[in-house]
Amino acid sequence: MEQLNFCFTEMRRPAFSLLTYSRIPYLSTPKNKGGITMKASQLTKENITPEIVDKLLFEGLDYKGETADVIIVLGSRKACDYRVPLAAKLFQERKAPHLIFCGGKVQKTSLGDMAEYKAMLISAEKCGIPHSAILTETQSLSTVENLQNAAELVKKHFPNCKSIIIVTTAYHMRRAAMLAQHFFTQKIIPCPASRGSTQRNNWSMTEKGSTTALDECLKFGYYIKKGFIDDFEI
């Protein structure tokens, strides 16, 4: 299986951080001057630093304009608002000819109470994506199920698929891409959608963003324990 090449280069420290003032004390641990040398499975709320958050959730995941055979858009309550428009842009720029919308969970979306994939279809129509270009995954209730079920659709409908673009929220991208490696043999191309309070340039500026980032970092240990992600050094 082809592995993602995540390049962890020198990290950018946020200009201002609530963590600096310890409004969320367990994230205010100072950085080890010798560098961070721990496994993702060892992360706790006591040892996560702003540098770890930046490195783990955001670094090395920028989309570089690659083309693929399929675009997979993971589901969420707000996927219709910003993930689908990004996927539409990729489709219109001919980055991939097919899309899969994932998510069977009924959510309070901006388009009403409905399953995630249904809201995504409405959004796609508004964005000008032809229905014939879209497959829907309608049963999943989690990221793992999104990807597991999408893998079956790819195997059935696109047996010659060599590469896949994954579209999801920026802070969710690392975990989603690593989970995708568990279910797909194809090359995985991350394409993060940046919006809201947990982007690389603003996650540390609000308590909501900081809390979301912390929670996301801590989820890696769970998926490593379950065997969906191989442990890795940060």
Side-chain angles (χ1 to χ4, degrees), residues 127-196:
C127 290
I129 304 176
H131 190 77
S132 59
I134 304 169
L135 289 177
T136 55
E137 183 287 302
T138 65
Q139 302 299 314
S140 63
L141 301 177
S142 66
T143 301
V144 166
E145 292 177 2
N146 277 186
L147 293 165
Q148 185 175 31
N149 296 349
E152 292 302 315
L153 290 175
V154 168
K155 187 183 299 183
K156 179 179 179 180
H157 295 278
F158 311 116
N160 297 318
C161 176
K162 302 297 183 184
S163 56
I164 296 168
I165 296 172
I166 302 287
V167 175
T168 188
T169 309
Y171 72 83
H172 182 238
M173 189 78 254
R174 178 87 61 196
R175 178 162 58 93
M178 287 188 159
L179 286 171
Q181 289 182 330
H182 182 81
F183 295 107
F184 293 93
T185 58
Q186 292 84 356
K187 177 182 179 182
I188 301 299
I189 301 169
C191 186
S194 293
R195 180 173 169 177

Side-chain angles (χ1 to χ4, degrees), residues 61-63 65 71-74 78-96 99 101 120 123-124 127 129 165-170 173 189-195:
L61 291 173
D62 294 334
Y63 176 64
I71 299 166
I72 295 178
V73 187
L74 303 187
K78 296 182 179 179
C80 58
D81 299 322
Y82 64 99
R83 298 184 192 180
V84 172
L86 176 56
K89 183 175 184 292
L90 295 173
F91 177 79
Q92 290 156 1
E93 292 177 352
R94 299 185 178 182
K95 300 302 183 184
L99 303 97
F101 291 165
M120 293 162 78
S123 178
C127 290
I129 304 176
I165 296 172
I166 302 287
V167 175
T168 188
T169 309
M173 189 78 254
I189 301 169
C191 186
S194 293
R195 180 173 169 177

Side-chain angles (χ1 to χ4, degrees), residues 4-233:
L4 289 171
N5 182 19
F6 294 131
C7 180
F8 287 161
T9 56
E10 186 177 354
M11 294 165 287
R12 298 180 299 178
R13 181 184 295 274
F16 169 77
S17 174
L18 286 176
L19 312 184
T20 304
Y21 297 92
S22 299
R23 286 184 60 185
I24 307 181
Y26 46 72
L27 274 176
S28 60
T29 309
K31 181 183 178 182
N32 184 333
K33 292 183 180 179
I36 301 167
T37 56
M38 69 172 68
K39 295 281 191 177
S41 61
Q42 297 174 309
L43 291 176
T44 68
K45 64 182 182 180
E46 286 80 20
N47 64 20
I48 295 176
T49 66
E51 289 81 8
I52 287 176
V53 172
D54 185 82
K55 194 173 188 180
L56 179 58
L57 301 189
F58 302 107
E59 201 165 90
L61 291 173
D62 294 334
Y63 176 64
K64 298 178 177 62
E66 303 98 319
T67 58
D69 298 301
V70 182
I71 299 166
I72 295 178
V73 187
L74 303 187
S76 79
R77 182 171 65 88
K78 296 182 179 179
C80 58
D81 299 322
Y82 64 99
R83 298 184 192 180
V84 172
L86 176 56
K89 183 175 184 292
L90 295 173
F91 177 79
Q92 290 156 1
E93 292 177 352
R94 299 185 178 182
K95 300 302 183 184
H98 307 287
L99 303 97
I100 298 175
F101 291 165
C102 302
K105 188 174 183 179
V106 175
Q107 301 262 34
K108 291 185 179 296
T109 76
S110 62
L111 300 171
D113 292 3
M114 64 185 76
E116 294 160 338
Y117 80 91
K118 290 184 178 179
M120 293 162 78
L121 284 173
I122 295 172
S123 178
E125 184 176 5
K126 292 180 178 179
C127 290
I129 304 176
H131 190 77
S132 59
I134 304 169
L135 289 177
T136 55
E137 183 287 302
T138 65
Q139 302 299 314
S140 63
L141 301 177
S142 66
T143 301
V144 166
E145 292 177 2
N146 277 186
L147 293 165
Q148 185 175 31
N149 296 349
E152 292 302 315
L153 290 175
V154 168
K155 187 183 299 183
K156 179 179 179 180
H157 295 278
F158 311 116
N160 297 318
C161 176
K162 302 297 183 184
S163 56
I164 296 168
I165 296 172
I166 302 287
V167 175
T168 188
T169 309
Y171 72 83
H172 182 238
M173 189 78 254
R174 178 87 61 196
R175 178 162 58 93
M178 287 188 159
L179 286 171
Q181 289 182 330
H182 182 81
F183 295 107
F184 293 93
T185 58
Q186 292 84 356
K187 177 182 179 182
I188 301 299
I189 301 169
C191 186
S194 293
R195 180 173 169 177
S197 61
T198 318
Q199 301 177 56
R200 189 176 192 181
N201 64 355
N202 72 358
W203 68 266
S204 62
M205 296 178 181
T206 64
E207 188 165 354
K208 179 181 178 182
S210 297
T211 301
T212 299
L214 169 68
D215 290 344
E216 181 64 23
C217 289
L218 292 174
K219 287 177 181 179
F220 282 87
Y222 170 82
Y223 289 100
I224 290 167
K225 184 177 181 180
K226 290 292 183 179
F228 289 116
I229 295 175
D230 293 333
D231 204 0
F232 59 98
E233 189 172 287

